[in-house]
Structure formats: structure tokens, C-alpha cells
Amino acid sequence: MDKILVTGGLGFIGSHTVVELQNEGYEVVIIDDLSNSSEKVLDGITSITGKKPLFEKLDLKDRPKVETFFEKHNDVKGVIHFAASKAVGESVQEPLLYYENNISTLVYILKELKKLPSAAFIFSSSCTVYGQADELPITENAPVKQAESPYGNTKQIGEEIISDTCKVTPSLKAIALRYFNPVGSHESAKIGELPIGVPQNLVPFITQTAIGIREQLSVFGDDYPTPDGTCVRDYIHVVDLAKAHVVALNRLLQNKNKANYETFNLGTGKGSSVLEVVKAFEKVSGEKLNYKIVGRREGDIISAYADTTKANNELGWKTKLTLDDAMRSAWKWEQIVRGNK
Ligand SMILES: NC(=O)c1ccc[n+]([C@@H]2O[C@H](COP(=O)([O-])OP(=O)(O)OC[C@H]3O[C@@H](n4cnc5c(N)ncnc54)[C@H](O)[C@@H]3O)[C@@H](O)[C@H]2O)c1
């Protein structure tokens, strides 16, 4: 079976995707510098799939090492590129760190892929490229808005770099997947989301509050023009998201793509408010969450959820898991990580 490189394969979405790739019979080699993950994740993956993926600890900013890697693994047929820095707030404080880590690594990999007789490339993009879209649900044709942060800008620039490269490189086929809000963990709770420091995302903040690491969840604003006044997002279970990567990769490897650069939204198509997420957590966990409504937070958009028609029809992929499934698995994972289970 084809060998696939997964960069950032020990991170949250990467590790779940490695599991799905191995379940489909792909041979996986992971590159990760462990800047936001741990080598222990390899044990979790191995325990789920019964097969240990190849792993090279490598910083993708180190161009000579990237070249050496591809000389050694010149039989790689595809790359799924997750490795990036992803904290929006930090990117405002440290823009150069984000431009260097998210852009230079992409360029180095594409330069190596150009040398191969053919290559499939999947890029982790984000719904942040749409900003506050004028129309909901958001289709792939919605205009890309001025980025709100250097992090968001790296996703927009990344997509342009790939699109420009594909135009002049017939041997390269690429798909940018625009994720909405990935949540949850594998049902085995052997891998999951493990943010370092204060969580940037709602769900790990909820589970960490419930387990006592954080005192209280702040809900930023309840006066937005949404049904209950809190912000609305499209929360997609990470296992559904991971499976979409395998489907997208198969599409490229089986030459089913309609252009050599394509974009797809990955979401459920359903928006959930912050309070609905809190309620879903309380229902599946039986825990009462300590939360407080506070003022709006600067930079938050009101509402974003995906039109999934293109992904459903073209990829033949649909989400199967629910918000309740995601909250149940996230809670199980949090309890196991903290040794409460
Ligand atoms: N989680 C989200 O909410 C979300 C939403 C939209 C897009 N994305 C994108 O999806 C991708 C994966 O996100 P995630 O949530 O799994 O993040 P993550 O931080 O858990 O995983 C990223 C992995 O990449 C590794 N990495 C970072 N820089 C590296 C480098 N220079 N060399 C080698 N490895 C490096 C980190 O150690 C980490 O294991 C990222 O590109 C992110 O921007 C994430």
C-alpha cells in the first residue's frame, strides 16, 4: 500500500488521521518536532491500530533535513500537511514565528514534491479564511476576507502558494480542506486533544473546567444576533474530520479530482451556540459546569457554519458523529489524561 507522509502527525487532528490511514491499509510515516505534542501519542496510535507508524522527529523549518528525509523516503505518494503553529492570539504577538513556521515549512515540502514523478498533497486550511461570511451556511465560493490575524493569514497565503504551484506543476495534485471547529477524541480515549497551557478552544476549556483545572468558563457575550445570544460555530467530530482526509487522499491518488487544486469545507452543516455546547456537555457528563457570561471578546465573529454540499457530493463524505458523541469522547479523554478514570 502507498506510503503517506503525515506532518504534525502526533498532534490532535494528525494523530486521528494517522489512525484512519492505517485502518485503510496505508503505510504512514510521521514527521513531528514535538513542539506541541508528545512522543507518547505514538503508543496511543499503535494501541488502536496494532501497527506502529514510522516516526522521524524533525523540525520542518530545517530545509537540509527535509531534503534528506525525502531522499530517504522517495517512495512517498502523498503528504498530509498538518504541522503548523495554531494559536491565534500568540500569532498576533509573534507574527514572524507564525509566518516562518507555517509558510517556510509548506514551501520546503512543495519543493520536494516537485521533484517526485507524481504527488498528492492535502493541506490543513481553516474556515477562518471566510471571516464573518455575508451568507450562511458558508459555501466554498464565499469570498476570502481580510485575515483577522497572522495565523489566519498563513492559511490564506498557504492556499495561494499551493494553487500557484499546482498551476505550473502538472505532477502535483492538491486539496485544501477548510476545517470548521474540530472537537472530541477517538472513542478509545487513547488519543485526544492535549493543549499545552490555557486552552484556546471551547471544548478543552469546558472539560478542563469540569475536572477542576480551570475555575470557570467565560462565555464571551450573550447579546449577539443568534437564537440564544451566544456565538455560533460548526463543531465537527475529529474522527469524522480524520476520515475526510483519507477520502480526499484517495480522490487524488485515484485521479478522481476535477482540477489539480481543489478546496472543500469540512463541517457538519449545523451551527451550535456556545450555550448549546455547554448544555450538551452537561447532559452527557452529568456534571454541572461553572460558567459565567462576560462581555464580548474582540475579534470573535458572530456565526459560522458550513455548507457541506460540495464535500458531500464530490467527496462522497458526510459526518456521522454528533455533538453529543464529541462531548462524551472529549470528557472521557480528559478524565483518562488526568488519571481520574
Ligand atoms: N484544531 C483546530 O481548531 C484547527 C482548525 C482549523 C485548522 N487547523 C489546522 O490543522 C492543523 C492541525 O491542527 P491541530 O489542532 O492538530 O494542531 P496540533 O498543534 O495539535 O498539531 C500540530 C502538530 O505539528 C507539530 N509541528 C508544529 N510545527 C512543526 C514543525 N516546524 N516541524 C514539525 N512538526 C511541527 C506540532 O508538534 C504538533 O504535533 C494545523 O495546521 C492547524 O492550523 C486546526
Side-chain angles (χ1 to χ4, degrees):
M1 198 66 178
D2 291 334
K3 187 193 272 187
I4 305 301
L5 165 62
V6 181
T7 76
L10 296 183
F12 172 43
I13 308 168
S15 57
H16 289 82
T17 303
V18 170
V19 165
E20 299 304 326
L21 286 167
Q22 290 194 323
N23 285 346
E24 284 277 308
Y26 283 107
E27 184 188 357
V28 176
V29 52
I30 294 173
I31 287 181
D32 204 300
D33 67 352
L34 305 179
S35 56
N36 199 33
S37 54
S38 143
E39 210 168 330
K40 281 191 202 144
V41 177
L42 269 182
D43 299 335
I45 294 170
T46 311
S47 163
I48 295 168
T49 64
K51 191 169 180 234
K52 191 170 185 172
L54 299 173
F55 170 56
E56 300 234 8
K57 181 173 183 289
L58 192 157
D59 181 350
L60 289 160
K61 293 193 292 302
D62 188 336
R63 172 107 204 264
K65 288 210 173 125
V66 174
E67 278 180 307
T68 310
F69 172 90
F70 275 94
E71 279 159 19
K72 185 172 155 196
H73 295 279
N74 59 6
D75 54 344
V76 160
K77 293 285 184 289
V79 176
I80 307 186
H81 183 45
F82 293 105
S85 302
K86 64 166 183 176
V88 175
E90 187 187 48
S91 80
V92 176
Q93 301 306 319
E94 298 279 356
L96 293 178
L97 195 149
Y98 275 68
Y99 286 117
E100 185 182 24
N101 201 37
N102 295 7
I103 303 295
S104 73
T105 57
L106 172 65
V107 171
Y108 297 161
I109 290 170
L110 291 177
K111 281 189 166 184
E112 294 310 310
L113 294 187
K114 277 191 77 165
K115 296 178 190 166
L116 298 177
S118 73
F121 184 74
I122 310 282
F123 179 62
S124 294
S125 190
S126 167
C127 67
T128 55
V129 301
Y130 301 117
Q132 179 59 70
D134 302 322
E135 280 175 40
L136 294 170
I138 303 171
T139 72
E140 288 78 356
N141 295 328
V144 167
K145 292 258 175 87
Q146 167 93 44
E148 300 264 353
S149 69
Y151 166 74
N153 208 17
T154 66
K155 294 300 173 191
Q156 298 190 3
I157 297 169
E159 287 197 9
E160 286 172 9
I161 290 172
I162 300 162
S163 162
D164 289 345
T165 309
C166 282
K167 275 181 204 149
V168 292
T169 318
S171 58
L172 180 67
K173 290 172 286 184
I175 290 179
L177 297 174
R178 294 172 173 166
Y179 313 154
F180 280 67
N181 294 68
V183 290
S185 76
H186 193 266
E187 59 169 4
S188 66
K190 289 179 173 165
I191 53 173
E193 186 172 13
L194 201 50
I196 294 173
V198 181
Q200 307 277 320
N201 295 328
L202 176 62
V203 173
F205 208 106
I206 288 178
T207 55
Q208 288 197 9
T209 304
I211 212 150
I213 298 172
R214 313 276 150 213
E215 208 183 310
Q216 192 173 56
L217 170 79
S218 296
V219 175
F220 298 107
D222 68 349
D223 57 351
Y224 286 100
T226 60
D228 65 21
T230 63
C231 291
V232 167
R233 299 286 181 272
D234 185 340
Y235 295 93
I236 173 169
H237 197 299
V238 67
V239 172
D240 278 331
L241 186 70
K243 287 182 197 287
H245 289 74
V246 181
V247 173
L249 183 72
N250 290 342
R251 176 179 175 89
L252 296 182
L253 294 176
Q254 294 162 10
N255 294 315
K256 289 185 178 153
N257 50 310
K258 294 205 170 138
N260 70 340
Y261 173 67
E262 298 175 307
T263 54
F264 291 96
N265 285 344
L266 295 182
T268 65
K270 183 181 177 300
S272 302
S273 73
V274 176
L275 290 181
E276 280 171 339
V277 177
V278 168
K279 277 184 205 133
F281 172 78
E282 290 184 332
K283 183 178 80 183
V284 301
S285 68
E287 301 282 326
K288 188 94 197 82
L289 192 75
N290 182 20
Y291 73 88
K292 189 178 163 194
I293 310 280
V294 299
R296 291 185 181 194
R297 182 174 60 177
E298 207 187 321
D300 275 342
I301 58 164
I302 304 164
S303 187
Y305 50 95
D307 184 320
T308 61
T309 311
K310 188 178 175 199
N312 297 161
N313 294 348
E314 291 276 324
L315 295 178
W317 165 92
K318 244 192 177 87
T319 55
K320 292 200 176 102
L321 299 164
T322 63
L323 181 60
D324 284 359
D325 294 327
M327 300 312 289
R328 204 175 290 114
S329 62
W331 181 228
K332 187 173 166 194
W333 165 248
E334 184 73 61
Q335 289 173 290
I336 284 177
V337 167
R338 308 299 161 196
N340 291 12
K341 214 173 179 184

